[in-house]
Amino acid sequence: SYSIRDGIFDRISYMITAQVLQSGPTRVVSISKTSIDPFIIENRSSHQFLQFIQEDDEGSVIELPPMNFCSYIWDNPHGKKRLRFVVVEERKSQQYLSELEKNRVSAELRYINGDIKDPLFISRSFLYSPESQSYNPLEVGRKKNLPFSYRGQTGELFAHARIVAGSRILSFYDSPWRMGQLQIENSHIGGYWKNTSIQLAAEGAAFHLIDDYPREICSIMARELTVYKEKGKIEITTMLRNIQVDSMLSSALYPIVLQQVPIGIDRREHFIQDFK
């Protein structure tokens, strides 16, 4: 998979997947948009700007404004599988500098560390400051807090990683309340699943497999199917009274492929005695 950036804030706008398929002598390269994002980074902070980068020489710095999220995939799939985050002040953020550039307030070039750089340049060295923190988005659960200092005051952002619909989501919060709610719902209460009640009863069902002749070649019979789940529990009970799979071919040596054995009767012993 590869990422496509927006060209404005250098954030990932969407991702594509490339597949190489072989069909006889023809090799086909298929490029399509991914339906599931491997990673999602959420900044649920009200005022703090986040910048992060893959801890690799080929990683690009990405900025995430407050109350925003973005999809993510590794810049270097063979590099170190960790992300380093840091909180930046609004006046040092890429979005703020971009607005200054649009309003023609800032100069065309600025001096950063003695070198002339573009005003939208993001320094990689800042992401390795003492206030930065390294995270592994592959591990689910609570993470180390991300410290920051703003106008002489210090604080922390609370980090948590979870999996939703196949995507690993790494989120940062101002308060541990939302993170606690996620842990309670997913771990202790059981979430929506534990509050779900299921009662299903079916008299039976028959499935017949027919070829192109047409000719029936297989028959599956199921009787008295019951599915039950009580509200407040996570266990689900499934019962099937009887199931039988028959081969409908006239040349079949064993027409009955699968059959229920009555409880308390072992037909194998009777067969052995009759054979003797």
Side-chain angles (χ1 to χ4, degrees):
S1 300
Y2 303 90
S3 60
I4 304 299
R5 302 182 183 271
D6 57 10
I8 302 175
F9 298 112
D10 201 31
R11 291 197 299 267
I12 295 177
S13 55
Y14 62 92
M15 286 174 286
I16 60 174
T17 300
Q19 294 180 336
V20 180
L21 307 175
Q22 189 75 30
S23 178
T26 305
R27 178 169 294 183
V28 181
V29 179
S30 174
I31 300 177
S32 59
K33 186 177 179 180
T34 57
S35 57
I36 299 178
D37 299 327
F39 300 98
I40 297 177
I41 311 299
E42 291 183 335
N43 181 10
R44 292 178 175 264
S45 171
S46 302
H47 306 286
Q48 310 302 331
F49 285 77
L50 289 180
Q51 290 181 0
F52 66 94
I53 188 176
Q54 181 182 356
E55 292 187 3
D56 188 84
D57 294 337
E58 299 183 10
S60 300
V61 181
I62 299 177
E63 183 177 281
L64 202 56
M67 303 304 296
N68 271 271
F69 72 94
C70 71
S71 304
Y72 182 77
I73 194 171
W74 302 114
D75 291 323
N76 182 9
H78 303 287
K80 190 175 181 180
K81 299 298 189 298
R82 296 188 71 88
L83 296 176
R84 181 164 291 274
F85 286 79
V86 69
V87 178
V88 298
E89 298 181 14
E90 181 180 3
R91 61 185 181 86
K92 296 182 180 180
S93 65
Q94 186 183 20
Q95 178 173 308
Y96 180 80
L97 296 176
S98 177
E99 291 297 330
L100 291 181
E101 182 70 14
K102 290 179 181 179
N103 297 330
R104 301 181 182 274
V105 176
S106 63
E108 295 182 358
L109 296 174
R110 293 189 177 188
Y111 287 92
I112 301 178
N113 297 329
D115 297 329
I116 297 179
K117 298 293 183 180
D118 187 273
L120 302 183
F121 172 77
I122 297 180
S123 175
R124 293 171 57 98
S125 60
F126 183 69
L127 281 140
Y128 291 88
S129 62
E131 292 186 347
S132 65
Q133 193 68 258
S134 178
Y135 297 94
N136 182 5
L138 297 173
E139 296 179 356
V140 179
R142 184 166 182 173
K143 303 291 186 179
K144 294 181 180 180
N145 297 341
L146 180 61
F148 67 89
S149 58
Y150 179 70
R151 295 182 180 179
Q153 297 181 355
T154 60
E156 290 180 330
L157 293 182
F158 301 88
H160 182 270
R162 66 191 188 277
I163 301 177
V164 177
S167 300
R168 297 180 182 269
I169 304 177
L170 179 59
S171 305
F172 294 86
Y173 308 91
D174 289 323
S175 168
W177 180 84
R178 175 59 180 169
M179 181 174 56
Q181 291 298 311
L182 289 173
Q183 291 181 341
I184 290 175
E185 291 177 5
N186 297 333
S187 301
H188 301 289
I189 294 180
Y192 297 107
W193 172 252
K194 194 169 184 179
N195 295 325
T196 302
S197 177
I198 300 176
Q199 291 183 355
L200 174 64
E203 291 294 333
F207 303 92
H208 301 276
L209 184 62
I210 301 175
D211 60 11
D212 296 333
Y213 280 99
R215 178 180 58 180
E216 186 179 9
I217 60 177
C218 181
S219 175
I220 302 175
M221 300 289 294
R223 298 177 181 175
E224 296 186 24
L225 172 64
T226 303
V227 180
Y228 175 78
K229 179 190 173 298
E230 184 179 353
K231 186 177 181 180
K233 296 184 179 181
I234 61 174
E235 297 86 3
I236 184 170
T237 302
T238 303
M239 295 184 295
L240 185 62
R241 177 69 64 181
N242 184 17
I243 184 171
Q244 182 167 329
V245 180
D246 298 327
S247 175
M248 307 304 292
L249 297 176
S250 58
S251 60
L253 297 178
Y254 302 99
I256 301 177
V257 180
L258 179 65
Q259 183 184 29
Q260 178 187 5
V261 176
I263 299 177
I265 301 177
D266 191 349
R267 294 186 176 183
R268 294 173 298 178
E269 296 182 356
H270 294 280
F271 175 77
I272 295 175
Q273 293 176 3
D274 295 341
F275 181 77
K276 290 181 179 180

